[in-house]
Structures are given as C-alpha cells and as structure tokens.
C-alpha cells in the first residue's frame, strides 16, 4: 500500500467517524429534550394543583374577612347611632335652655321698657310745669320792659333838655365838644404811646445786645479748635543721605521727572537726611511726599517708575479724600449728603483759607452753628440744618470748575445742584451778604464763620494773597494754545510751562515763553522777577512682544 491509499483511507475513516458521532449526538439531544419536556409537564401540573389549593384558601379567608368586616360595620353603625342620639339630646337641652334665657331677657326688656315709659311720663309732666312757670316769667318780663321803655323815653327827653342848656352855656354844639375832647385825648395818648415805645425800644436794644453777646461768648467758650497755620513746604525724612543721589538721578533726570509729574519744587540741599517739598497746593505736596515714600521703599527710582508711582498715588489720594469726607460727615452726624458734596468736604482737608485749614474751619463753624442754634432755642430740625450749612458754607472754595463766580455763589449753585434744602443753600450763598438772607439759620452761619476766622492765630492774610497770586500765574499760562501743564515754582519766582510736542515747535516754544512773560508783566503785580521756562519733550514709545 502506498502513502496515497493510506491517506485516502484515513480521510474516509475520519468522515465516517464524524457522521456516526453526529448521529449519536442528535439521538442524545432528542432523548434529553424528551426528558426535559416530561419534567416541565410534571412541574406545570404540580403548579396548577398548588394554585388551585391557594385560590381555595384565599377564597375561604376572603369570606371570613367579609364576615368580620360586616360585623365591625354593624357595631360601628350602632355606636354612631347611639352617639348621634346622645348629641341630639344634648343639643335639644341646649336649645331649650337658650329659649328659656331669651324668654327671661325679653321679659326683663319689657319690664325696662315699662319703667322707661313711666319715667318719660313723669318728665313730660315736669316739662309742662316748667313751661307754665316760664310763661308766667315771660309775661312778667314784658311788663317790666314796657316800664323800662317809658323810663328810657323820659330820660332821653331830660338829656336833650340838659344838652341844649349846656350848648347855650358853653356856646358849642354837642358834636363840637365831643370832637374837641376826643382830639385832646388822642394827642395825649399819642405822646404817651411814643414815649412808652421809645423806652421799650431802648430797653429791648440794650437787652438784645447783651443777650447776643452772652450767646456768642457761650458758643465760643463751648468750642475749642486748633489754630495752626498751614505751611507751603513739607519735609521728607530720609534714612540716609545716600538716598539723595538716587532721588536726583543721573544729570538730575529723576528729580526733573518727579517735579514735572507732581508740579512741586523739590529742594535737595545740605539739610541732613531731609528733602524739602515746596508748593502752594497741599494736594500736590502730599502726592509728591507719598510718591517719594514709595519710591524710596521700592528702591527703583527712574523716570518711568516715577510716572507710574505718581499716577497710583494720585488715585490713592482721591480715595483718601473720599474717606476723609465720609468720616467727617459721620463724626458730625450729618446724613443724606450726596457723594459729590462728600468728596468736596474731603478736598477741604488739602485747602487752606488765609492759612487756616479749610476742613477744620468748616467743622468748627458747623459745631458753632449747632451750639448757637441750641442757645437761641431753635427746633432740632433747624439745628441740624444750621450744622449742615456750617459744614458746607465754604464748599465753593474747592470747586473744580473754572468760573468767575465768588466761592459763596458757586457754593449755593453746587448745593442746589445736589439737592440740598433751600435753607442750607441760602445760608451758603448769604454768609458774605452776596444774596438776601431768607432763613433764620443764614445769619447764624455768617456769625459762626466770622467767629471761627476771627480767633487769635487762626488766619494769616499774607498766605491767602500769595496763593491767589500763584493761581493767577498758572491761569495766565494755561490760557495759551498747546499748553499741557503749568507749575509755579520757587514761591512764584519761576513758572514752568509743559507744552504738547505735536502742537508747539521749538521756535514756537521760544515765542510762547516771551508772550507769557510779557502778559505777566502787563497784567499782574508781583515782587522781583518771574522766570518763565517752556519745556517741550518728544517721547516715542514702542512695545516688543
């Protein structure tokens, strides 16, 4: 046998084995399926028998529950019927009791009505008796009136005879005598009245002056305030003199940038561990002082950093101004003040009037107004309005708008704009007699303002005139085209004018300095000479990203 025959025989054997195995497998599966069907029938039959048994048991239990429910319902029904009968009996008894009470009340009311009828009959009888008596009195009075009329006619006749006899004797008619007598009495009364009025007027005048002085003295004695004069320089203390070189910078660029950004004059001299900041504007000095403090603490001092710090400091000062205003109105117990007016109150902290701090002056005036109003016996509402007007009376001095109005007129305008009451607005505008006083608090504010400013050491006239001159210098330069910023330096002896490089050329800058100097020379009065410096700076900025 060769290999091919063997292979064929093996394949045929495998095929025959597979067929026999499949046949046997199908036979086993059929037998298993038959066995499973038989078991399923047995289980189904058993389940049916169990279900029938359970149904019969459930029907039996349901019948028992129905019987029990019927018995319970009958018991409940009988109980409810018994309760209803009992409730009906109680209600019936209650109804009968109420009926008895009503009958008793009706009987009592009838008795009272009968009693009232008896009283009414008695009163009618009394009224009839009184009417009879009144009728008799009326008849008696009529008889007496007739007798009086007869007697009056007799008297009139006798009076006419008497007057005619007097006229013959006095050679005057009755009307003439009456007029003469009335004239004499009137003249005498007028003279006495004039004398009395004059005496009372002099007495009232003396009493009023005495009482007014007493009230003013009492108000002054009850109020104490500081009277330090505001300076025009601030001293910035340094930890070491080595910091002066950093503040000045290379070729003075740092100090120039700081002066240009803040508008003050910084004096770095031989004073040990100190730098002097000079400016007539307290806000500028404070901005420069705080900026220097931050720069020194940071250690990075260069022009770009200086401009950044100055901008942040100005924002901080604005927040501080608002905080000062809010704290002031809270301390004075003033409510309902609008935010712009609160901000103006805060700006007073950095403003002086004749050397006197404006905020302290306004607070003192407000407290004096409240004290004086109370001494005069005004109402609590008028006292609050007087205090409010005293705080706001100089609000026009810190206004930011450029106007030719006086501070009193500008103040009344601001108060009216921000919803203040008419009494407060009138007091603000009338404290320098620029408008008519229409309310009782207006003269009080005027007097208290004078008291606060007249205290010894409170004010200094020279400083105020100096500040006005410095402001006028800056305004003259700002009126020209192309001018960006103007700063008066060295107590008004130098005027630094910063112009916009795009609008003013180098030649125009020279011409501008000459024009400003000539305008100052022709329009202003000043001691010594004023140096006008025009600064033109071109900056080109780019960012590498």
């Amino acid at each position: 046998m060769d290999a091919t025959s063997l292979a064929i025989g093996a394949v045929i054997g495998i095929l025959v084995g597979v067929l026999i195995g499949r046949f046997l497998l199908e036979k086993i599966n059929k037998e298993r399926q038959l066995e499973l069907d038989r078991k399923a029938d047995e289980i189904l039959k058993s389940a049916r028998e169990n279900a029938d048994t359970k149904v019969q048991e459930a029907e039996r239990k349901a019948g028992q529950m129905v019987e029990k429910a019927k018995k319970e319902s009958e018991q409940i029904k009988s109980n409810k019927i018994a309760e209803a009968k009992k409730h009906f009996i109680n209600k019936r008894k209650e109804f009968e009791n109420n009926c008895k009470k009503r009958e008793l009340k009706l009987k009592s009311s009838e008795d009272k009505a009968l009693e009232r009828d008896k009283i009414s009959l008695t009163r009618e009888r009394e009224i009839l008796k009184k009417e009879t008596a009144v009728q008799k009195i009326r008849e008696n009075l009529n008889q007496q009136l007739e007798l009086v009329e007869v007697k009056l006619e007799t008297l009139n006749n006798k009076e006419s005879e008497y007057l005619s006899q007097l006229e013959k004797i006095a050679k005057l008619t009755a009307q003439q005598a009456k007029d003469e007598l009335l004239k004499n009495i009137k003249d005498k009364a007028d003279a006495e009245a004039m004398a009395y009025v004059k005496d009372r007027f002099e007495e009232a005048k003396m009493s009023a002056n005495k009482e007014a002085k007493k009230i003013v003295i009492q108000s002054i004695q009850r109020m104490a305030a500081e009277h330090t004069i505001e300076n025009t320089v601030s001293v910035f203390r340094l930890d070491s003199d080595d910091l002066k070189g950093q503040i000045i910078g290379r070729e003075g660029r740092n100090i120039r940038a700081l002066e240009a950004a803040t508008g003050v004059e910084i004096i770095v001299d031989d004073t040990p561990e100190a730098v002097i900041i000079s400016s007539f504007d307290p806000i500028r000095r404070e901005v420069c002082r705080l900026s220097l403090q931050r720069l020194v603490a940071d250690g990075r001092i260069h022009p770009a950093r200086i401009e950044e710090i100055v901008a942040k400091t100005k924002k901080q000062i604005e927040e501080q101004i608002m905080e000062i205003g809010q704290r002031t109105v809270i301390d004075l117990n003033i409510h309902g003040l609008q935010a712009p007016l609160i901000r103006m109150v805060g700006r007073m902290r950095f403003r002086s009037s004749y050397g006197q701090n404006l905020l302290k002056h306004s607070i003192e005036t407000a407290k004096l107004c409240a004290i004086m109003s109370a001494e005069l016996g005004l109402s609590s509402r008028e006292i609050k309005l007087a205090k409010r007007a005293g705080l706001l009376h100089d609000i026009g001095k810190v206004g930011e708008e450029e106007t030719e109005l006086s501070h009193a007129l500008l103040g009344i305008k601001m108060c009216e704009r921000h919803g203040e009451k008419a009494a407060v607005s009138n007091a603000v505008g009338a404290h320098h007699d620029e408008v008519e006083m229409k309310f009782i608090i207006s003269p009080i504010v005027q007097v208290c303002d004078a008291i606060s400013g007249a205290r010894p050491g409170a004010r200094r006239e020279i400083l105020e005139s100096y500040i006005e001159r410095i402001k006028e210098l800056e305004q003259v330069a700002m009126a020209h085209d192309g001018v960006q910023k103007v700063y008066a330096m060295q107590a008004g002896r130098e005027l630094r004018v910063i112009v916009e490089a795009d609008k003013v050329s180098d030649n125009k800058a020279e011409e501008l300095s000459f024009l400003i100097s000539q305008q100052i020379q022709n329009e202003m009065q000043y001691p010594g000479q004023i140096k006008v410096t025009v600064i033109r700076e071109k900056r080109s900025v780019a960012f590498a990203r």
Side-chain angles (χ1 to χ4, degrees):
M1 294 180 71
D2 55 1
T4 306
S5 299
L6 291 173
I8 293 170
V11 171
I12 292 171
I14 292 169
L15 291 173
V16 171
V18 169
L19 291 173
I20 292 170
R22 182 178 294 175
F23 175 76
L24 292 174
L25 182 62
E26 288 178 356
K27 187 177 180 180
I28 292 168
N29 288 335
K30 287 180 180 180
E31 291 177 353
R32 186 178 293 174
Q33 183 66 36
L34 290 172
E35 182 67 20
L36 291 173
D37 291 340
R38 186 180 61 79
K39 289 182 178 181
D41 291 338
E42 292 177 355
I43 292 169
L44 182 61
K45 184 178 179 181
S46 176
R48 284 175 180 172
E49 290 176 355
N50 291 332
D52 292 338
T53 304
K54 289 182 179 179
V55 167
Q56 291 175 0
E57 182 69 20
E59 289 177 351
R60 186 178 61 79
K61 289 182 178 180
Q64 293 176 354
M65 292 175 67
V66 168
E67 290 296 329
K68 185 178 179 181
K70 286 181 178 178
K71 291 179 180 179
E72 290 179 353
S73 64
E74 290 294 334
Q75 184 66 30
I76 293 170
K77 184 177 179 182
S78 60
N79 292 337
K80 291 292 183 182
I81 291 171
E83 289 178 1
K85 287 180 179 179
K86 185 178 180 181
H87 183 71
F88 175 74
I89 292 170
N90 293 333
K91 288 292 183 181
R92 184 176 179 180
K93 289 180 179 179
E94 185 179 350
F95 176 73
E96 290 175 353
N97 292 332
N98 290 334
C99 289
K100 291 178 180 179
K101 290 180 181 178
R102 287 176 184 171
E103 289 176 358
L104 291 173
K105 286 182 180 179
L106 288 172
K107 188 176 180 181
S108 176
S109 300
E110 290 176 356
D111 294 340
K112 290 180 180 179
L114 291 173
E115 186 69 23
R116 283 198 295 270
D117 291 340
K118 291 179 182 179
I119 294 171
S120 299
L121 290 172
T122 304
R123 288 181 178 175
E124 287 179 358
R125 290 170 184 169
E126 291 178 354
I127 290 170
L128 289 173
K129 290 179 181 179
K130 289 181 180 179
E131 286 181 353
T132 305
V134 168
Q135 185 66 27
K136 290 180 180 179
I137 293 170
R138 187 181 290 113
E139 292 175 356
N140 190 13
L141 286 174
N142 289 331
Q143 293 175 0
Q144 291 180 5
L145 284 173
E146 290 176 357
L147 292 174
V148 168
E149 288 178 358
V150 173
K151 290 181 179 180
L152 183 61
E153 186 177 357
T154 306
L155 286 173
N156 288 333
N157 294 330
K158 289 183 178 181
E159 184 180 3
S160 300
E161 293 176 1
Y162 178 72
L163 289 174
S164 60
Q165 291 177 2
L166 282 177
E167 288 176 358
K168 290 178 181 178
I169 295 170
K171 296 182 181 180
L172 289 173
T173 63
Q175 187 62 37
Q176 290 175 345
K178 184 178 178 181
D179 293 340
E180 186 70 23
L181 180 61
L182 287 174
K183 185 175 180 300
N184 293 333
I185 293 172
K186 185 178 179 181
D187 291 341
K188 185 177 180 181
D190 289 340
E192 291 179 355
M194 287 298 295
Y196 179 80
V197 169
K198 187 176 180 181
D199 293 341
R200 295 284 78 78
F201 182 77
E202 292 295 331
E203 183 180 348
K205 188 176 180 181
M206 292 176 63
S207 176
N209 288 333
K210 183 178 179 181
E211 189 66 22
K213 289 178 182 178
K214 178 182 176 182
I215 290 174
V216 170
I217 291 171
Q218 287 178 348
S219 301
I220 293 173
Q221 289 175 343
R222 289 174 60 185
M223 181 65 203
E226 299 177 1
H227 304 298
T228 55
I229 300 298
E230 294 283 342
N231 296 320
T232 59
V233 297
S234 298
V235 179
F236 180 73
R237 297 294 177 183
L238 300 173
D239 295 336
S240 172
D241 284 336
D242 297 336
L243 294 173
K244 291 182 178 180
Q246 295 183 23
I247 294 172
I248 295 172
R250 183 181 299 175
E251 298 178 357
R253 64 175 186 172
N254 289 345
I255 196 170
R256 286 199 303 272
L258 189 58
E259 288 179 343
T262 58
V264 303
E265 181 182 2
I266 302 175
I267 302 171
V268 182
D269 53 13
D270 297 335
T271 305
E273 298 180 354
V275 172
I276 298 174
I277 304 169
S278 176
S279 174
F280 73 96
D281 191 338
I283 296 181
R284 294 183 191 174
R285 292 203 310 272
E286 186 67 11
V287 169
C288 183
R289 187 186 68 80
L290 293 177
S291 301
L292 267 176
Q293 185 176 349
R294 288 186 173 186
L295 289 167
V296 170
D298 184 34
R300 294 177 296 168
I301 305 177
H302 53 81
R305 181 64 176 166
I306 288 171
E307 291 180 357
E308 179 185 352
I309 291 296
V310 169
K312 290 182 179 179
T313 305
K314 287 180 178 178
K315 185 178 179 181
Q316 178 188 347
I317 288 292
E318 285 297 322
E319 294 175 355
Q320 184 180 351
I321 286 171
M322 198 67 186
E323 183 181 352
I324 291 171
Q326 291 172 346
R327 188 166 59 247
T328 301
V329 296
I330 290 172
D331 291 343
L332 291 175
N333 196 22
I334 293 175
H335 304 285
L337 208 63
Q338 292 191 10
L341 292 180
I342 294 177
R343 181 172 176 271
M344 292 300 168
V345 171
R347 284 178 61 86
M348 289 183 184
R349 166 64 180 80
F350 301 98
R351 175 74 159 80
S352 61
S353 176
Y354 297 98
Q356 185 182 20
N357 184 273
L358 190 58
L359 181 59
K360 291 182 179 179
H361 164 63
S362 299
I363 293 173
E364 182 182 7
T365 303
K367 292 180 178 178
L368 284 170
C369 287
I371 293 171
M372 190 171 290
S373 301
E375 291 288 342
L376 290 170
L378 301 185
S379 64
S380 59
R381 177 179 176 275
E382 290 172 328
I383 292 173
K384 290 179 180 178
L385 290 177
K387 185 193 293 185
R388 195 184 191 97
L391 178 64
L392 300 176
H393 78 283
D394 274 343
I395 200 77
K397 290 185 178 181
V398 291
E400 296 177 324
E401 57 185 272
E402 293 294 333
T403 178
E404 296 180 356
L405 295 175
S406 65
H407 74 274
L409 296 179
L410 182 59
I412 189 175
K413 183 179 176 183
M414 293 169 66
C415 290
E416 291 174 348
R417 184 190 307 158
H418 296 295
E420 287 299 312
K421 295 187 180 298
V424 175
S425 300
N426 180 256
V428 171
H431 76 280
H432 285 314
D433 293 322
E434 295 184 64
V435 298
E436 182 184 356
M437 295 184 180
K438 298 180 180 179
F439 298 90
I440 186 64
I441 67 171
S442 298
I444 295 175
V445 173
Q446 185 183 50
V447 170
C448 293
D449 176 40
I451 291 172
S452 176
R455 290 179 184 267
R459 291 187 171 184
R460 187 171 63 198
E461 180 73 25
I462 299 173
L463 179 62
E464 185 69 17
S465 60
Y466 158 73
I467 292 175
E468 291 297 328
R469 181 169 62 85
I470 296 298
K471 282 187 176 180
E472 190 176 354
L473 266 177
E474 292 186 350
Q475 290 172 0
V476 168
M478 282 297 296
H480 292 270
D481 294 334
V483 176
Q484 187 178 11
K485 298 178 183 177
V486 178
Y487 300 120
M489 319 289 283
Q490 297 183 4
R493 292 190 296 274
E494 180 180 356
L495 193 65
R496 293 189 182 179
V497 183
I498 301 174
V499 297
E500 300 178 16
D502 298 336
K503 295 182 180 180
V504 180
S505 61
D506 290 339
N507 294 331
K508 186 68 180 295
E510 294 181 1
E511 181 182 350
L512 184 61
S513 64
F514 175 76
L515 289 175
I516 292 173
S517 63
Q518 291 299 310
Q519 186 176 356
I520 293 171
Q521 184 175 337
N522 295 331
E523 297 180 3
M524 296 184 62
Q525 295 181 355
Y526 54 91
Q529 63 181 13
I530 298 176
K531 179 182 177 182
V532 179
T533 303
V534 176
I535 301 172
R536 179 179 178 271
E537 182 181 11
K538 178 68 175 178
R539 293 190 183 185
S540 298
V541 180
F543 296 94
R545 300 182 186 278

